[in-house]
Amino acid sequence: MSKTANVAVVGATGAVGETMLAILAERKFPIGKLHVLASERSAGGTVEFNGRDITVQDLATFDPTGVDIALFSAGGSVSKEYAPKFAAAGAVVIDNSSAFRYDDDVPLVVSEVNPEQVKHRPRGIIANPNCSTMQMLVALAPIHRKAGIERINVATYQSVSGGGRSALEELGRQTGALLNFQDPDPQRFPVQIAFNLIPHIDEFLDNGFTKEEMKLVWETRKILGDDSIQVNPTAVRVPVFYGHSEAVNVETKVKLSVAEARALLENAPGVEVVDDHAPGGYPTPVTHASGTDPVYVGRIREDLSHPRGLNLWIVADNIRKGAALNAVQLAELVAKNG
């Protein structure tokens, strides 16, 4: 990737946008010209990139001509309005929202799972999957390729950072209030999040599942290219600042032993196995995931109730690997392939 690319980061002042900029710098992405864009209320401010301050431009008045790669993390409505305009001007758009994930002519890509799909982008748009699907499939793809996954049971334990800056602030504010014997006063969440669990992320659908849960169903099938995979999800918001955790049970077509599964995972790109049968011998969002890039897998066990079942505990930083890092990795693939 010696040739440079002109890059735009849309939503640059948000938590994911800021992390995208940090990762672009860390990975020494070959940037020619960098544009940082946000809404009118953030325009004129500055964000830091590689030790220098860059002025934020107003997305609404920005001319995308000359942009090679545009990283979008500003929400679905912004992506629907502006991503096609950037693509029409010649940019490859990598979108972090759910706006295009389920469109047949937009590839949904995890860099370690189906990187070849970045080349098939008839609309000039590539979709970044949801954070919970992303980390699960980095771990499950090698198992699926080896033994064929028939069914996935998954319960997610998702940190508040997945709900944006306002959700982080609410957890902090409520924690302080409760420790001082004050009313937690829920505003961002429907009920108290501090010292609590909320089995509700995104809107409820007619089938009783939430949209966050159905994303795990729809996206798993699209990314792995197999509509026969059955997924049974429950998504829970937990009082953790950064890092999603998942208790995953898979049923495979061909039996895999724990030793075989561990060997597959130890050799899988983007995966780090932390699986000692001892106190602390497992990954957690705080001790392992927060601020780091790998998808961590531990508690690898055979299912006592199913002859071809495996249990896994999967943890990753939802802002880094779950959003910003994968987007930059996709940009690297695009730049590498011209």
Side-chain angles (χ1 to χ4, degrees), residues 105-183:
D105 53 359
V106 174
L108 183 65
V109 187
V110 179
S111 63
E112 296 89 350
V113 178
N114 58 337
E116 70 286 348
Q117 291 298 317
V118 299
K119 299 175 184 176
H120 309 297
R121 47 176 196 269
R123 288 163 61 184
I125 299 171
I126 302 167
N128 216 28
N130 194 41
C131 45
S132 51
T133 312
M134 179 110 55
Q135 69 183 66
M136 183 174 78
L137 294 190
V138 170
L140 294 190
I143 292 172
H144 180 59
R145 292 191 180 116
K146 181 71 174 179
I149 292 174
E150 291 184 332
R151 187 164 184 258
I152 302 168
N153 283 293
V154 53
T156 70
Y157 305 84
Q158 297 182 219
S159 65
V160 295
S161 54
R165 205 179 298 277
S166 62
L168 285 163
E169 290 169 353
E170 177 136 322
L171 174 57
R173 181 179 54 76
Q174 287 187 355
T175 301
L178 288 161
L179 290 174
N180 286 284
F181 306 101
Q182 296 170 353
D183 186 346

Side-chain angles (χ1 to χ4, degrees), residues 1-9 20-34 49-50 52 68-71 92 94 324-337:
M1 288 194 301
S2 56
K3 188 180 177 184
T4 61
N6 296 331
V7 175
V9 176
M20 282 177 176
L21 289 168
I23 292 173
L24 285 166
E26 287 169 20
R27 294 173 72 91
K28 297 180 171 58
F29 189 89
I31 294 174
K33 191 165 187 179
L34 176 65
F49 177 74
N50 223 1
R52 69 181 198 272
D68 298 309
I69 297 173
L71 303 174
V92 175
I94 298 167
L325 173 61
N326 194 69
V328 173
Q329 289 173 310
L330 298 185
E332 290 171 346
L333 289 167
V334 169
K336 183 180 178 182
N337 293 320

